Amino acid sequence: MARSPRVPWKRPNPRKRAGKASKHLSPRKKAAAKAAARRAGRRYPNLVDNMRMAAKTKRRTKTSGRKRAAYERPAAKSAAKKRKTAKAKATKASTRKRGGRAREKDPRGGLTAAGRKAFAEKQGAHLKPGVMKKESEMTPQDMRRKGSWAVRFYGRKKLPPLVDDRGRPTRHALSAHAWGEPVPKTVAAARRIAAKGERLLQRYKRARQKG
């Protein structure tokens, strides 16, 4: 015959056996346990109502913990998102700093502002952005700058390659984009830019003579 377990009030306190201090109900919980005993017709204090109230307290704490977690979860996600964004920005800035040399060149042609700044720091050269104005809007200095660039780049006797093995324009050809000119892929197109540069230099000389 199976031996029935002893009732709780005949078992030793597990917390005392583990060397831990006993927990006591708060006055509010004691009042609730006393009311439950009165409704059941039991004398109070008794272990049954105290245990029931302690168990309810535990369940309520667990439930409130879940509710609190539900409220805190969106805030935690928002904080995690902010940390992720900040980390991405820091990584991007670090990458830009480490790979600044690669970013000094504009992929469309010419140099970026960072590239011109790097030249000024390393070589003392004060480079300016290419002139992209229409001829009618150019000043004499604009004509001189753009004309000099066009003749120097595309008027030389032997031109560097304008396209690579895959037919893509080289950096030498892409420099035309930084000066507002179509990117040349053939020698004839490059010579047309050089001829335009010569006309601009002639206009600059005439304007200078008049001035």
Side-chain angles (χ1 to χ4, degrees):
M1 184 176 178
R3 187 178 179 182
S4 60
R6 287 188 296 173
V7 291
W9 50 86
K10 289 187 179 181
R11 293 200 302 264
N13 191 331
R15 294 189 66 84
K16 285 185 178 180
R17 189 165 50 190
K20 298 179 180 178
S22 299
K23 289 186 176 181
H24 300 281
L25 293 177
S26 65
R28 182 179 177 184
K29 301 305 178 185
K30 284 184 179 180
K34 187 176 182 179
R38 190 186 308 115
R39 288 193 298 270
R42 290 186 292 268
R43 289 193 305 173
Y44 191 81
N46 66 76
L47 189 58
V48 173
D49 292 301
N50 284 347
M51 287 177 63
R52 183 178 294 135
M53 187 53 59
K56 285 185 177 180
T57 303
K58 289 180 182 179
R59 286 196 297 270
R60 191 173 302 161
T61 302
K62 188 175 180 180
T63 304
S64 62
R66 285 197 298 266
K67 289 182 179 179
R68 185 169 59 252
Y71 284 111
E72 292 175 353
R73 196 174 296 120
K77 285 184 178 179
S78 178
K81 188 176 181 180
K82 288 181 180 179
R83 288 195 299 270
K84 188 176 180 181
T85 304
K87 185 177 179 181
K89 287 182 178 179
T91 303
K92 188 176 181 180
S94 177
T95 303
R96 189 185 300 115
K97 188 175 181 180
R98 291 196 304 268
R101 187 173 298 175
R103 297 179 188 276
E104 291 171 3
K105 296 180 180 180
D106 190 333
R108 297 172 299 177
L111 297 175
T112 61
R116 291 189 291 272
K117 184 178 179 181
F119 264 84
E121 293 175 353
K122 295 175 184 177
Q123 303 180 10
H126 299 286
L127 302 178
K128 298 180 180 179
V131 178
M132 304 183 72
K133 300 177 183 178
K134 297 179 180 179
E135 290 190 37
S136 58
E137 299 174 353
M138 289 184 190
T139 64
Q141 293 300 323
D142 293 335
M143 296 176 190
R144 181 188 62 78
R145 288 188 59 226
K146 188 164 185 176
S148 177
W149 161 80
V151 173
R152 187 173 68 256
F153 264 65
Y154 302 119
R156 62 183 70 179
K157 188 174 181 179
K158 186 177 181 180
L159 290 175
L162 299 173
V163 292
D164 59 14
D165 297 339
R166 297 183 180 181
R168 297 174 301 186
T170 60
R171 294 296 303 178
H172 187 83
L174 287 173
S175 62
H177 181 273
W179 290 82
E181 296 295 326
V183 177
K185 292 186 178 181
T186 62
V187 175
R191 297 305 186 197
R192 283 194 293 270
I193 297 176
K196 181 178 180 179
E198 291 177 356
R199 291 195 301 272
L200 288 173
L201 289 176
Q202 291 175 3
R203 288 185 58 189
Y204 162 71
K205 291 178 181 179
R206 289 197 296 268
R208 188 177 179 184
Q209 290 174 356
K210 290 181 180 179

